Amino acid sequence: MKKEKLVIIPTYNELENIRDMIQTVMDLEGDFELLIIDDNSPDGTAKVVKDLATKFPERLHLIQRSGKLGLGTAYIEGFKYALNQGYSYIFEMDADFSHDPKDLIRLYKACAEEDNDMAIGSRYITGVNVVNWPMGRVLMSFFASKYVQFITGIPIKDTTAGFKCYTARVLRAMDLDKIKFIGYAFQIEMKFTAWKLGFKIVEVPIIFTDRTRGTSKMSSGIFKEAIFGVIYMKIKSIFKSYQSINRI
Ligand SMILES: Nc1nc2c(ncn2[C@@H]2O[C@H](COP(=O)(O)OP(=O)(O)OP(=O)(O)O)[C@@H](O)[C@H]2O)c(=O)[nH]1
Ligand SMILES: [Mg+2]
């Protein structure tokens, strides 16, 4: 089977979502493959993945880690796996259906058919496309994105978005071991690095819906990391020259 598209989903206690999510992605047109990175979820998320892997042995993959090590490190591990295996399009998506799996196809096309290096599922292109979040959280997320744009100068409206398609060349160009943040700041750092390396990034409008099942893993530490992290990242970037670590 051609290793073309790999969707990476990090999970921590997503028992209530994982079965439906896997089935939905497997049913999509275009033979998407799935890599679940589970951090030893106490609710047994990984067990469901293992059971379903017998149904989709070629297309469903699982990496189990010893404990809750954070979203950023889970993705870095997934990116390395994807590059080693030779996938061309690598996606980030949450397990909780906040991102509509059908939009994976639009993100894919934005890269494969429209000559972009990276596509971002964006909530803030046409106003604010967020469903069921309390107003406080909508405003916080929206202004967080504005804050990041202001500090870093990055021309992206949804800087903390976690729904993306990377072409392999973007991930190959980055020194993944140098990506240090783990929460929302991780999402910002990945976009900032891709932009600094000169890649062509497009935002695709999506509707983001708050999770209806399972519980949030976001903590105040993750917000703090993002607030101070962008300032740190910006200052560091002034002294750094951005060059691809591989020839692309
Ligand atoms: N492997 C792994 N996955 C994580 C970790 N923290 C969060 N996740 C997963 O990352 C995705 C995003 O986390 P969420 O808790 O949905 O974060 P959020 O969307 O900002 O917040 P809510 O939607 O309110 O829950 C989900 O699939 C989580 O299960 C972690 O430490 N390790
Ligand atoms: Mg979520």
Side-chain angles (χ1 to χ4, degrees), residues 10 12 14 37 39 68 70-71 95-96 137 184 211 216-217:
Y12 191 75
E14 298 288 358
I37 308 209
D39 278 0
K68 193 170 185 316
L71 179 105
D96 58 4
R137 192 157 178 198
Y184 292 121
R211 63 160 75 237
S216 180
K217 281 99 213 167

Side-chain angles (χ1 to χ4, degrees), residues 1-7 23-34 58-59 87-89 91 101-102 104-106 108-109 112-113:
M1 186 164 165
K2 185 170 76 168
K3 296 196 166 180
E4 197 201 11
K5 314 180 190 89
L6 183 70
V7 182
Q23 193 61 53
T24 308
V25 174
M26 293 293 112
D27 288 344
L28 286 176
E29 228 168 83
D31 287 329
F32 285 85
E33 291 185 44
L34 199 45
E58 305 271 294
R59 294 173 57 208
Y87 290 92
S88 308
Y89 299 93
F91 301 81
K102 284 206 253 5
L104 286 168
I105 296 169
R106 297 168 59 226
Y108 168 72
K109 287 188 172 163
E113 294 173 12

Side-chain angles (χ1 to χ4, degrees), residues 127-169:
V128 177
N129 282 318
V130 176
V131 177
N132 287 345
W133 258 6
M135 190 44 90
R137 192 157 178 198
V138 174
L139 290 175
M140 172 123 79
S141 170
F142 182 74
F143 285 109
S145 252
K146 287 265 173 252
Y147 166 79
V148 176
Q149 271 178 291
F150 176 73
I151 302 277
T152 64
I154 193 170
I156 291 174
K157 289 206 166 108
D158 194 346
T159 50
T160 58
F163 194 21
K164 299 190 210 132
C165 174
Y166 301 90
T167 55
R169 56 187 174 272

Side-chain angles (χ1 to χ4, degrees), residues 9-14 37-39 65 67-75 93-96 98-99 133 137 184 208-211 214-218 222:
I9 303 185
T11 54
Y12 191 75
N13 285 346
E14 298 288 358
I37 308 209
D38 186 71
D39 278 0
R65 306 199 301 169
K68 193 170 185 316
L69 298 169
L71 179 105
T73 62
Y75 272 126
M93 189 168 77
D94 290 354
D96 58 4
S98 283
H99 305 140
W133 258 6
R137 192 157 178 198
Y184 292 121
F208 179 102
T209 312
D210 193 18
R211 63 160 75 237
T215 48
S216 180
K217 281 99 213 167
M218 286 305 152
I222 280 170

